[in-house]
Amino acid sequence: MRAGLLCLLLLWALPAAAGVECWSGWGYRVAPGTLAFRGERMLLVTPGPADWRVGEEVTLLPLDPESGRIDPNAATIHVRPRRPRFFSTREGNRAMDDVADIVGEDSHLMLGMTRVGPAVSGTPRQEAFLRWACGRE
């Protein structure tokens, strides 16, 4: 919990000039092997750019579904991708889906994530939109 709060504080301390980039999407805890759902859908975001390589740990922050912001009361989730599949959405955004291992749990996380940012123009309006899309505003 303390590490999650520290991560949130670091996110808010980043200057706007550093640019905003994250992966945003959804996830369900599922049982290994059967993929039986073990919970409700979660809205998730990475704290910044993510490297979805097999076996590399990725940090996910749950979003509050009411506000769309990073939920300061929810536990950070750490996953290790198993077989990430990358593709482009109709809008040209980079996307990824996988059934990843959850570090420290016997469940897996079925997830679908879309890359948000970095800003192309770097205008204040675009930066504000990207901060909102990454759960920071």
Side-chain angles (χ1 to χ4, degrees):
M1 179 81 167
R2 190 176 292 184
L5 290 175
L6 178 61
C7 184
L8 286 174
L9 289 173
L10 290 173
L11 283 173
W12 286 103
L14 291 173
V20 179
E21 184 177 352
C22 70
W23 288 74
S24 182
W26 53 266
Y28 292 90
R29 279 186 168 84
V30 296
T34 66
L35 299 182
F37 290 107
R38 288 188 167 172
E40 296 183 14
R41 180 177 67 145
M42 297 176 282
L43 300 176
L44 302 165
V45 68
T46 62
D51 186 356
W52 296 101
R53 286 185 293 165
V54 173
E56 293 295 319
E57 192 169 305
V58 176
T59 300
L60 299 169
L61 306 170
L63 297 175
D64 171 41
E66 299 283 325
S67 69
R69 293 184 178 168
I70 295 169
D71 187 343
N73 300 315
T76 301
I77 301 169
H78 300 275
V79 298
R80 286 197 177 96
R82 297 172 71 220
R83 287 182 294 257
R85 181 179 69 100
F86 294 93
F87 54 96
S88 294
T89 66
R90 194 174 301 149
E91 296 79 24
N93 295 327
R94 185 96 166 123
M96 185 279 312
D97 61 22
D98 193 13
V99 179
D101 293 325
I102 301 176
V103 176
E105 292 187 27
D106 66 346
S107 294
H108 289 167
L109 190 68
M110 179 184 295
L111 69 161
M113 306 293 286
T114 302
R115 186 174 64 90
V116 176
V120 175
S121 67
T123 64
R125 182 176 178 184
Q126 188 178 40
E127 290 287 332
F129 173 78
L130 294 176
R131 281 192 305 276
W132 169 82
C134 290
R136 298 181 198 170
E137 278 191 7

